[in-house]
Amino acid sequence: MIRSTCVPFGFLMLLTAIGPAQVDAAEPSDRPNIIVIVADDMGFSDLGCFGGEIDTPNLDRLAAGGLRMVDFHNNAKCSETRASLLTGLWHQQSRNLSKPGNVTIAEVLRDAGYTTLMSGKWHVAQTPPQRGFDRYFGFLSGAINFYTGVDLRSGENFMRLDDQEYKAPADFYSTDAFTDYAIEFLDQARTKDQPYFLYLAHNAPHYPLQAPPEDIAKYRGKFDAGWDVIRQQRFERMQKMGLIDDSWKLSPRDPKVETFDSLSDAEKKHLLPMIEVYAAMVDRLDKNIGRVIADLEQHDELDNTLILFFSDNGACPYDHDRTPGVAPGPVDSDIAYDARWANMCNTPLRLYKQYAHEGGSATPMIAHWPAKIKAAGSISKYTGHIVDVMPTVVELAATTYPAQAHGSDVLPMQGVSLVPALTGRQSERTDSPIYWEYSGNHAVRDGQWKLVAQRNRDWELYDLSTDRSETTDVSADHPQRVIAMAQAYDQWAQRTGAKTHAKSMKTKPSSQSQLINLSRQVR
């Protein structure tokens, strides 16, 4: 049991700022079910409802019946995003749940009378049953073979059903299996007279690029126009859909990436199957989300269930082509696409997974809750971050965030409740800056201004009200603003354990290659 007494004065002030449970349906019997669905390594513009050409009718349906947030952010990296999502803290404060002083969403909601369920990728310290989940199915590591469930790096089996090792059957495919168990857990939760919380953490479309043949066949030839043409097409669709305005420019193609038309036929033949299989993985993910929606409808629960969907980081640019001669798709392939396709998947933004620039942290975010989101199909420009999920569920559950847990004082929540933004009562974030730091890539966002730096490089400043895609550095025009925001960043870094700007400047550039060496792979 988590104790909730002896709350320090400063923490009470923070709770006051966040606000008590003020949702209309605050009575325990009316509290919503909550489902958080996380995709893995998905780009900003991949979904149909965010301008992509991949077939995603179920997520599109959630967007049409709810709202899309076009300024919502993660921590730009897998484990780090999950740590902040689960704890409501900056990931440095918990070191991905390896340090004391934190409490998880599952622990808070279980003490508030929710049944707590998880299916999918864990990728932080300890295990879900140890951190408040009543039921768990999934894997504890960072990446697995979609068909065997074994860890991609070590070959070990980190699949678990609750706290027991699980061996994948012959017909296993992780995207399907995670949904199977999620629905089974929901059925079990319905035997109790209490709301439920489901954390459905899919590993799709993270590499290895593996998908059923029938899904891959659907996308053969669909990307033959190449990344330059498709980036432009996506950008124009996003404009027509009202997702972006003139403050979003189509960022220049990554200077490392060649034009698609400059490639030989053999090089195109090598690269095109990667994006085709990736699209098939997103398609399969959407089908499985459709299964969850159908299950909620069958039990008349869709109206008062808050569903949040987002990705843990932007598109992945890594050179990961470890099975030469094997096409992406089957069980024996271990391939990722690189910066060439990642640049397209993040249209119209710059950079990728692990960077603090928008292409690293901005995620397509969908919120669906018919009981409270009345402006169906709306687009929100509210600036949100995954640290905001904890205060949101604390408010919705009509509960109190604890001061102590596991024998330690608990650090206060770092975000703000999204309930006012979701219900249309608030359109802008005020007085709550957002910070990022991973591996020396770092940034601070305060209102329309973003100060950002790559590891081993100096600050850049962007006015996101006129340049959301970070194409024009205006730091030279606003030296005092740079100084003030840099000081705020360093104070945050020292408080949380993140790297200061000076330390990040001394961090060597990443050795991770972002382009597959075509001369090595293509004969």
Side-chain angles (χ1 to χ4, degrees):
M1 178 63 70
I2 299 168
R3 292 179 289 167
S4 57
T5 58
C6 303
V7 182
F9 175 76
F11 181 58
L12 285 174
M13 294 298 291
L14 179 66
L15 285 178
T16 301
I18 293 172
Q22 296 295 329
V23 186
D24 294 340
E27 291 298 321
S29 60
D30 295 329
R31 295 178 301 177
N33 301 311
I34 301 168
I35 297 179
V36 175
I37 305 174
V38 180
D40 202 341
D41 283 13
M42 194 181 71
F44 185 76
S45 61
D46 284 330
L47 301 179
C49 55
F50 274 80
E53 56 291 304
I54 302 174
D55 190 20
T56 55
N58 296 294
L59 285 165
D60 296 351
R61 175 190 171 187
L62 292 181
L67 63 82
R68 284 162 289 177
M69 298 183 73
V70 295
D71 198 6
F72 191 81
H73 296 267
N74 49 50
N75 283 335
K77 200 66 167 59
C78 300
S79 297
E80 288 69 20
T81 285
R82 294 158 208 281
S84 288
L85 167 64
L86 286 164
T87 65
L89 305 178
W90 305 112
H91 68 86
Q92 296 88 352
Q93 294 177 295
S94 75
R95 289 186 187 171
N96 297 349
L97 273 66
S98 66
K99 288 178 62 177
N102 63 81
V103 63
T104 69
I105 286 178
E107 290 166 334
V108 171
L109 289 180
R110 186 162 68 178
D111 274 7
Y114 275 68
T115 300
T116 55
L117 316 167
M118 182 182 173
S119 187
K121 175 176 172 176
W122 181 239
H123 205 201
V124 286
Q126 301 177 290
T127 67
Q130 292 173 321
R131 296 311 309 262
F133 286 96
D134 296 320
R135 296 302 315 270
Y136 172 63
F137 173 76
F139 66 103
L140 303 177
S141 59
I144 58 171
N145 185 300
F146 279 69
Y147 286 104
T148 68
V150 301
D151 183 66
L152 200 60
R153 289 187 177 181
S154 67
E156 294 183 62
N157 183 18
F158 295 118
M159 292 290 301
R160 298 291 183 270
L161 178 56
D162 297 319
D163 59 357
Q164 300 297 310
E165 183 176 353
Y166 172 91
K167 293 185 179 180
D171 61 349
F172 181 85
Y173 184 72
S174 61
T175 307
D176 298 340
F178 295 151
T179 308
D180 291 341
Y181 275 92
I183 292 173
E184 179 180 323
F185 292 165
L186 290 177
D187 282 339
Q188 294 171 3
R190 293 182 181 111
T191 65
K192 305 176 184 179
D193 186 21
Q194 58 191 67
Y196 56 74
F197 167 66
L198 169 64
Y199 173 31
L200 179 52
H202 279 286
N203 59 324
H206 191 290
Y207 63 82
L209 297 174
Q210 296 175 332
E214 63 271 22
D215 292 339
I216 299 172
K218 182 177 178 179
Y219 292 95
R220 291 297 187 206
K222 194 155 189 175
F223 298 90
D224 285 1
W227 45 76
D228 296 304
V229 170
I230 296 174
R231 284 187 83 222
Q232 184 64 41
Q233 291 173 343
R234 287 190 177 193
F235 183 66
E236 292 173 2
R237 278 196 297 270
M238 297 172 88
Q239 289 177 315
K240 291 178 181 178
M241 296 168 75
L243 288 165
I244 62 177
D245 54 33
D246 290 341
S247 69
W248 301 65
K249 304 174 183 67
L250 180 59
S251 62
R253 179 178 8 91
D254 187 325
K256 296 188 298 293
V257 176
E258 64 273 72
T259 64
F260 187 77
D261 287 345
S262 69
L263 298 175
S264 69
D265 289 344
E267 290 169 333
K268 292 177 182 179
K269 186 177 180 180
H270 183 74
L271 292 170
L272 281 166
M274 298 176 186
I275 194 65
E276 293 167 349
V277 176
Y278 173 85
M281 295 168 75
V282 175
D283 186 302
R284 191 75 166 205
L285 171 65
D286 181 82
K287 287 185 176 74
N288 277 278
I289 291 171
R291 294 174 58 205
V292 175
I293 296 170
D295 183 70
L296 297 177
E297 285 185 307
Q298 180 183 346
H299 293 89
D300 197 26
E301 294 170 351
L302 187 61
D303 187 63
N304 197 35
T305 297
L306 171 63
I307 301 174
L308 300 178
F309 172 88
F310 49 85
S311 179
D312 63 349
N313 44 249
C316 179
Y318 298 163
D319 172 6
H320 184 98
D321 194 349
R322 299 185 179 179
T323 48
V326 179
V331 63
D332 57 343
S333 64
D334 187 1
I335 301 168
Y337 64 55
D338 62 7
R340 297 174 173 96
W341 292 119
N343 194 197
M344 182 198 79
C345 291
N346 275 343
T347 302
L349 305 173
R350 282 183 58 204
L351 295 176
Y352 323 94
K353 173 180 178 177
Q354 83 176 340
Y355 293 98
H357 287 71
E358 295 291 282
S361 75
T363 173
M365 202 281 213
I366 301 170
H368 186 271
W369 185 19
K372 294 297 175 181
I373 298 175
K374 299 304 182 183
S378 59
I379 297 170
S380 171
K381 296 182 180 180
Y382 182 90
T383 305
H385 190 277
I386 49 170
V387 293
D388 300 331
V389 176
M390 175 70 90
T392 301
V393 302
V394 167
E395 180 170 350
L396 295 179
T399 190
T400 302
Y401 184 79
Q404 293 183 319
H406 309 292
S408 300
D409 291 339
V410 173
L411 294 169
M413 294 181 284
Q414 301 297 297
V416 296
S417 173
L418 294 170
V419 171
L422 297 179
T423 55
R425 303 201 310 268
Q426 188 172 345
S427 60
E428 295 182 2
R429 190 185 195 92
T430 57
D431 302 323
S432 185
I434 295 173
Y435 301 89
W436 295 267
E437 188 274 320
Y438 172 75
S439 191
N441 298 304
H442 55 294
V444 54
R445 167 81 179 271
D446 191 357
Q448 72 195 63
W449 297 98
K450 182 175 178 182
L451 191 68
V452 59
Q454 295 182 48
R455 59 196 287 180
N456 200 243
R457 298 188 187 181
D458 210 349
W459 288 116
E460 304 164 10
L461 180 69
Y462 298 98
D463 179 355
L464 300 188
S465 69
T466 60
D467 183 20
R468 178 64 198 280
S469 305
E470 301 170 316
T471 62
T472 305
D473 176 10
V474 296
S475 58
D477 300 328
H478 301 274
Q480 294 306 311
R481 185 175 297 280
V482 171
I483 291 171
M485 293 183 71
Q487 289 175 342
Y489 171 81
D490 279 342
Q491 290 170 0
W492 170 83
Q494 290 165 357
R495 174 173 69 84
T496 61
K499 286 185 178 179
T500 63
H501 180 61
K503 288 183 179 179
S504 297
M505 287 282 286
K506 295 178 181 178
T507 303
K508 294 180 180 179
S510 174
S511 60
Q512 169 66 52
S513 172
Q514 297 186 334
L515 291 180
I516 294 169
N517 186 334
L518 292 175
S519 64
R520 184 184 72 229
Q521 299 288 2
V522 179
R523 297 290 184 263

